[in-house]
Amino acid sequence: MKNENRALAFAPLIMPFAFTGYASFAGISGFNMQEGLLTFFLLFLGTIVAGLPVAYLYEFFIGMRFYQLLAKKNRVNIVTLTLGGVFVADIPMLLIWPLANGEGSVSFAVTVQLFSFVGFMIGLNFWVLLNFESLRDRVKGLRHKA
């Protein structure tokens, strides 16, 4: 239970880094550093302030239920957690899909990719935090064999 609580508490903290990293990679204005470092830093802070509360709400109200379902069915693994993270992150995109008609500076496809990547990274981070002790012991074992 300790690992589950730690994973639930800390997994969403990767969200601003994943969001900013993919937005920079996708060339979204402001995140691609063409408007300066101050703009990039302010957008990163805005992502933290606006995005972390939403990530935690999704984690506790949707992601935790999904995890409990997976745990009940003994299906907790890296694939189910990362794909579950993608699905949970894309729920808002699936809800606004009928309303999206290509208006705005960022295309709908890029937005879905961005949210999918963020969900993937949160799911991956959740899996790593859930299995932290066993992963650490494996690395120690490999280091002692060499």
Side-chain angles (χ1 to χ4, degrees), residues 31-89:
F31 288 102
N32 58 6
M33 298 271 207
Q34 289 180 350
E35 296 176 16
L37 188 59
L38 182 61
T39 302
F40 176 81
F41 183 68
L42 290 174
L43 286 171
F44 180 72
L45 285 177
T47 303
I48 291 171
V49 170
L52 275 180
V54 173
Y56 273 104
L57 285 173
Y58 271 68
E59 176 89 23
F60 287 116
F61 289 114
I62 300 170
M64 188 167 70
R65 304 266 193 263
F66 181 74
Y67 172 74
Q68 289 170 343
L69 176 70
L70 290 175
K72 185 177 179 181
K73 302 278 186 187
N74 290 327
R75 300 274 190 230
V76 176
N77 58 45
I78 191 169
V79 174
T80 58
L81 290 178
T82 54
L83 289 178
V86 168
F87 179 70
V88 169

Side-chain angles (χ1 to χ4, degrees), residues 78 127 131-146:
I78 191 169
W127 180 81
N131 297 300
F132 183 74
E133 279 85 16
S134 64
L135 293 171
R136 183 186 60 206
D137 294 342
R138 285 183 193 174
V139 169
K140 281 183 182 179
L142 291 175
R143 218 178 325 156
H144 291 296
K145 284 183 180 180

Side-chain angles (χ1 to χ4, degrees), residues 7 10-14 82 120-130:
F10 294 121
L13 291 176
I14 201 165
T82 54
F120 175 81
M121 291 305 294
I122 289 173
L124 184 63
N125 196 23
F126 187 90
W127 180 81
V128 167
L129 291 169
L130 196 62

Side-chain angles (χ1 to χ4, degrees), residues 2-33:
K2 180 179 133 188
N3 290 347
E4 293 171 349
N5 291 337
R6 179 179 53 213
L8 284 168
F10 294 121
L13 291 176
I14 201 165
M15 185 278 307
F17 301 103
F19 187 94
T20 304
Y22 193 83
S24 175
F25 174 76
I28 295 175
S29 179
F31 288 102
N32 58 6
M33 298 271 207

